[in-house]
Amino acid sequence: MSDIAFFSHAGATLVAETTVGAAPEAESPVFVLIHGIGMGRTVFADLITRLHARTIAIDLPGYGEAPEPRSVLTMERTADLVAAYLHSIDAGRIVLVGHSMGSQVAGEVAARHPELVDRVVFIGPTVDARQRTAVRQLLRLAQDLAVESPRVIVVGAREYLRAGPNLRGKLRAMLAHRPERTYSLVRAPVLVLRGENDYVSSRDWCRIVVASLRQGRLAEVPGHGHETMIRDAAPAAELIAEFAREG
């Protein structure tokens, strides 16, 4: 059973879909899921099923079912919107999960609003500071998709079409952000999770991310690429759930 809500703050609107897992315990964490560029909350469908917990999957402004804002939001403004929503619902112990660009938003939420976040998961974190151009990012994504499953390609293509005509501006906003300046400000423990074959978020880059965090660790999902939670979310879900139980 799920519940869908639209939430507006400072001129932008997000969509949040809350799903209650199988009889969650009172002290169980709530997993808040933030998608990457060109995607939407539906890419987390398999992960939600496998977490067996209360989850809140978000469509950021201009993605999925969320309306386009008047202007493209920065990562910081997006994080403040997500934080305002989380404050409004008093969700309890939150494990914030960001995939790709969503890791940039999750990092800003954790740094700017530490009272909200118990633990953080970066899945395939972007943007590699050594590859911060649109051409390089698109080439790496193309490399990754070349080895992904047809399911990933179909889901990804559908969501990119839904992302609308402002995708170029959204890409510029993603590339303008400097996540490496935020990592040291995140107080919560962070799991950095990547697919073994992820061309977008390399092992070297993820090691840099972990080294920049106050409390970071790296884990890999064998045989997976950048879209690890779409192709088969079971291994990622197991690692995320184990990390959350440590809290």
Side-chain angles (χ1 to χ4, degrees):
M1 181 178 296
S2 63
D3 177 71
I4 298 175
F6 286 73
F7 175 82
S8 298
H9 173 77
T13 300
L14 60 75
V15 176
E17 182 172 4
T18 302
T19 302
V20 179
E25 299 177 4
E27 298 301 317
S28 296
V30 177
F31 294 92
V32 177
L33 312 176
I34 305 176
H35 61 81
I37 191 167
M39 297 295 180
R41 72 182 193 275
T42 59
V43 301
F44 292 113
D46 191 34
L47 181 62
I48 289 169
T49 300
R50 296 180 185 276
L51 283 173
H52 305 293
R54 184 184 176 198
T55 60
I56 302 173
I58 290 176
D59 282 338
L60 298 175
Y63 296 95
E65 293 183 282
E68 288 282 352
R70 291 183 179 179
S71 59
V72 175
L73 271 61
T74 63
M75 298 297 101
E76 292 87 351
R77 282 192 61 202
T78 303
D80 289 344
L81 172 62
V82 172
Y85 167 71
L86 295 176
H87 273 299
S88 76
I89 62 171
D90 189 21
R93 187 163 77 89
I94 289 174
V95 177
L96 196 58
V97 181
H99 172 245
S100 197
M101 182 196 74
S103 71
Q104 297 173 240
V105 177
E108 288 292 343
V109 173
R112 296 162 73 87
H113 307 275
E115 73 284 355
L116 285 170
V117 180
D118 184 71
R119 289 182 168 249
V120 186
V121 180
F122 295 159
I123 305 177
T126 54
V127 175
D128 188 331
R130 304 161 302 174
Q131 304 286 335
R132 192 178 278 121
T133 68
V135 171
R136 288 184 177 181
Q137 289 299 306
L138 292 172
L139 284 174
R140 285 181 173 269
L141 181 60
Q143 283 180 292
D144 195 86
L145 289 175
V147 298
E148 283 289 9
S149 69
R151 170 180 169 78
V152 170
I153 295 171
V154 170
V155 172
R158 181 190 66 200
E159 292 301 327
Y160 267 81
L161 287 173
R162 293 176 70 183
N166 295 327
L167 192 56
R168 182 179 296 180
K170 296 168 185 175
L171 179 61
R172 284 198 297 267
M174 183 187 83
L175 295 174
H177 182 245
R178 299 293 188 266
E180 64 273 14
R181 297 176 182 173
T182 303
Y183 295 141
S184 65
L185 303 178
V186 177
R187 302 175 191 171
V190 181
L191 173 64
V192 178
L193 185 60
R194 71 177 295 272
E196 178 186 28
N197 303 321
D198 189 340
Y199 287 96
V200 177
S201 188
S202 70
R203 184 178 292 117
D204 286 346
W205 169 242
C206 287
R207 285 173 174 165
I208 291 171
V209 173
V210 169
S212 302
L213 293 161
R214 298 186 185 187
Q215 304 181 70
R217 72 174 73 166
L218 176 63
E220 289 190 335
V221 179
H224 284 61
H226 192 60
E227 312 297 347
T228 179
M229 81 292 173
I230 302 176
R231 179 178 177 184
D232 172 17
E238 184 176 348
L239 290 166
I240 293 169
E242 180 182 354
F243 176 66
R245 285 193 293 268
E246 297 173 5

